Amino acid sequence: MITLFENYNQMSEYVASIVAEEITNNPNLRLGLPTGSTPIGMYKNLIQFDLDWSNVKTYNLDEYEGIGENHPQSYHTFMNKNLFLHVNLKKEFIHFPDKNLDTHLKQVGGLDLLILGIGHNGHIAFNEPGSSPTSATRRVKLTKETIIANSRFFGSEDEVPKWAFTMGLKTIRESKRIILIANGQDKWDIVNNCFNGDVTKDRPASVLQMHPNIEVFYAPQ
Ligand code: PGA
């Protein structure tokens, strides 16, 4: 289930080529997208492709609560900088999770492709350890561990928002195709435990083992 890459660039290029291929094959693709440091290389490669994004619908996995969309560390800002400002995606086709997301996705037929990162504690989006595998899209309190991990993007731990809106595990698992990406030696243990170990609520990503169409890509450096 885990595909090993030699390095981060190779993995990033490959994931970008898959997304590009999916958009070429289906110009109406419903595409789930992550933020964080891991996908930056994928976005860098993806914006080099000459693709028509005008009918693509994007669905981000999560967003902080309590900081505005224009805050430098909001996920809206991240997405504008890394993708949205570089492609001809329509503003009305950009989605961030809110209480209406699951109903909307049900109506339109779910996500076709979802790219995911993973946290050191096995979280996916902001589904922290203990999250129910059938959880809906919802407002969540961030764990201390995630606040500390994300403080590298803020001035201090105190400035990291304590709440967020996240796509639920049920919503994630309903995607037709999932690709989880991770890089760095420090991520190996959690990736290995989630995909070669037991399925447990303590490691939310482990529930994806049961997904019929998941690929896990890992690069040690
Ligand atoms: P990272 O975050 O890509 O910045 O390591 C991944 C995650 O926490 O989902």
Side-chain angles (χ1 to χ4, degrees), residues 188-199:
W188 173 250
D189 283 350
I190 191 64
V191 170
N192 188 33
N193 288 336
C194 285
F195 294 97
N196 291 323
D198 296 338
V199 174

Side-chain angles (χ1 to χ4, degrees), residues 40 43 47 72 75-86:
I40 290 176
Y43 290 124
I47 60 176
Y75 292 166
H76 280 78
T77 299
F78 176 98
M79 290 308 298
N80 283 333
K81 190 172 143 210
N82 287 287
L83 180 68
F84 298 159
L85 293 175
H86 305 273

Side-chain angles (χ1 to χ4, degrees), residues 35-39 117-120 123-125 150 152-153 187:
T35 52
S37 47
T38 313
I118 182 171
H120 289 100
H123 74 210
I124 42 178
N150 291 7
R152 69 191 195 276
F153 301 116
K187 287 268 176 89

Side-chain angles (χ1 to χ4, degrees), residues 65-204:
E65 193 183 278
I67 57 172
E69 282 181 27
N70 296 324
H71 187 283
Q73 295 306 333
S74 79
Y75 292 166
H76 280 78
T77 299
F78 176 98
M79 290 308 298
N80 283 333
K81 190 172 143 210
N82 287 287
L83 180 68
F84 298 159
L85 293 175
H86 305 273
V87 296
N88 66 331
L89 185 66
K90 292 206 181 94
K91 214 174 154 58
E92 63 267 33
F93 291 163
I94 293 172
H95 305 80
F96 279 80
D98 62 19
K99 60 180 176 30
N100 302 317
L101 181 75
D102 290 350
T103 312
H104 165 79
L105 279 175
K106 216 180 185 107
Q107 279 164 358
V108 297
L111 296 173
D112 297 307
L113 171 66
L114 171 61
I115 313 295
L116 277 177
I118 182 171
H120 289 100
N121 60 5
H123 74 210
I124 42 178
F126 278 129
N127 295 285
E128 300 285 9
S131 298
S132 162
T134 55
S135 53
T137 294
R138 67 204 185 283
R139 182 176 183 257
V140 288
K141 195 167 176 23
L142 304 193
T143 60
K144 183 88 182 147
E145 196 174 356
T146 296
I147 291 171
I148 293 169
N150 291 7
S151 65
R152 69 191 195 276
F153 301 116
F154 290 80
S156 68
E157 249 174 77
D158 284 348
E159 289 170 60
V160 184
K162 307 292 176 283
W163 293 85
F165 227 94
T166 185
M167 208 180 267
L169 288 176
K170 179 169 189 280
T171 322
I172 288 172
R173 292 167 62 206
E174 283 169 355
S175 305
K176 296 189 185 84
R177 179 181 186 184
I178 299 177
I179 299 175
L180 184 142
I181 54 176
N183 75 292
Q185 306 277 349
D186 55 317
K187 287 268 176 89
W188 173 250
D189 283 350
I190 191 64
V191 170
N192 188 33
N193 288 336
C194 285
F195 294 97
N196 291 323
D198 296 338
V199 174
T200 163
K201 268 189 189 176
D202 298 339
R203 293 187 291 268

